[in-house]
Amino acid sequence: MTEAVVSIKHLQKNFGKTQALKDITFDVQPGEVFGFIGPNGAGKSTTIRTLLGILRATGGSATIFGQDVWRDAVAIHRRIAYVPGDVYLWPNLSGGEAIDLFLKLNGQKHDARTDELIKLFELDVRKKCRTYSKGNRQKVALIAAFATDAELYIFDEPTSGLDPLMEELFQKQVLALKQAGKSVLLSSHILSEVERMCDRIGIIRDGKIVETGSLADMRKLSRTNITVVTKQDAAAVAQLPAVHAYAPASDVANKATFAVDSEQLGDVISFLSAKEILSLQSTSPTLEDLFLRYYETEGGNGDAQ
Ligand SMILES: Nc1ncnc2c1ncn2[C@@H]1O[C@H](COP(=O)(O)OP(=O)(O)OP(=O)(O)O)[C@@H](O)[C@H]1O
Ligand SMILES: [Mg+2]
């Protein structure tokens, strides 16, 4: 197996008595877009700041390119590009000067690609940074990051201030990075963004990783909603362990809705077939269903496993 680009093992970070990170373990493989999602205050930015060597971990380990994120921060920074959610810029520089300064700090030069990105993101680079809106400040940081030839790109909620067209453009640029074999770690609250771009996802809650895997894997762990009408009484389906939230319809005989653990769907359908199915509708869980379960209940309540 190739070496992971990012490798985090049992990472912990305390701020005084606050345990911001309790147990974070995940990795990012070469050429992969890894989505990092979780509710506000879960610890995404703290994890990312620790990876960048801005914060020192209290426990556990984190490496990028096999190097320690704290000890070898300088060497690592030559090979990564980072965009935070809140971009602070030098107020007296113009946007163009800020982009060039970011590039210089990363050992890169303004080139045709930089000009192309400025045009694509429709940024007026002549304006002073202090006059920029939140979205425009983000554009400055994004242009500088995409113009940087890095091996790993880290984005911490980079699109929170962007309009839908710019969001679309951001996604295209990330997919282009992926096609070029780059690795990306992206924290986001925008589920459609995560669904469209990420190969694997880590869900963080209350300082702990509660799930990692591909979306397909996660869907398997989730439930399918069923509405069924049978010829014979099929109420006993409610006794099957894979069936949840069974609710018979009050208006139609032998009609019911319930949720089924997706992996056991076949068994439940067989059971229903024996009762002669008259109609059956099934809806796959949406990404929102999936994540809300993790967001709302403590670690999925052990129920999601
Ligand atoms: N410098 C700090 N000092 C004290 N507590 C902090 C500090 N930075 C973060 N925290 C706490 O650590 C926890 C995790 O915060 P973090 O910013 O990592 O969350 P997040 O997942 O990025 O949330 P969001 O989605 O809102 O950006 C929170 O309880 C926060 O209050
Ligand atoms: Mg954050």
Side-chain angles (χ1 to χ4, degrees), residues 44-46 49 156-157 187:
K44 300 177 295 296
S45 298
T46 304
R49 289 197 195 105
D156 189 2
E157 282 180 56
S187 96

Side-chain angles (χ1 to χ4, degrees), residues 148-211:
T148 300
D149 185 19
E151 290 162 66
L152 169 68
Y153 295 78
I154 299 179
F155 300 106
D156 189 2
E157 282 180 56
T159 56
S160 48
L162 298 187
D163 67 45
L165 273 180
M166 291 300 140
E167 156 88 30
E168 174 95 18
L169 183 59
F170 168 79
Q171 294 185 8
K172 271 195 191 147
Q173 293 298 325
V174 171
L175 289 174
L177 290 179
K178 186 175 141 175
Q179 266 151 24
K182 313 289 191 176
S183 310
V184 178
L185 171 60
L186 166 74
S187 96
S188 179
H189 285 294
I190 303 170
L191 297 179
S192 58
E193 177 175 281
V194 170
E195 184 165 33
R196 185 162 164 212
M197 291 194 295
C198 298
D199 302 299
R200 285 192 312 134
I201 292 162
I203 302 179
I204 178 172
R205 213 196 118 87
D206 198 19
K208 286 180 256 178
I209 292 285
V210 290
E211 191 71 59

Side-chain angles (χ1 to χ4, degrees), residues 13-16 18-21 36 38-49 55 156-157 187 189 204 207:
K13 175 68 194 173
N14 300 342
F15 295 106
T18 311
Q19 280 189 293
L21 304 181
F36 195 30
N40 293 127
K44 300 177 295 296
S45 298
T46 304
T47 304
I48 288 175
R49 289 197 195 105
L55 295 173
D156 189 2
E157 282 180 56
S187 96
H189 285 294
I204 178 172

Side-chain angles (χ1 to χ4, degrees), residues 227-237 246-258 272 275-280:
T227 301
V228 68
V229 185
T230 45
K231 201 163 170 189
Q232 302 170 35
D233 180 5
V237 76
Y246 178 85
S250 53
D251 50 344
V252 181
N254 298 333
K255 179 178 178 184
T257 60
F258 47 89
L272 294 169
K275 305 294 179 191
E276 296 177 76
I277 297 171
L278 297 175
S279 84
L280 183 136

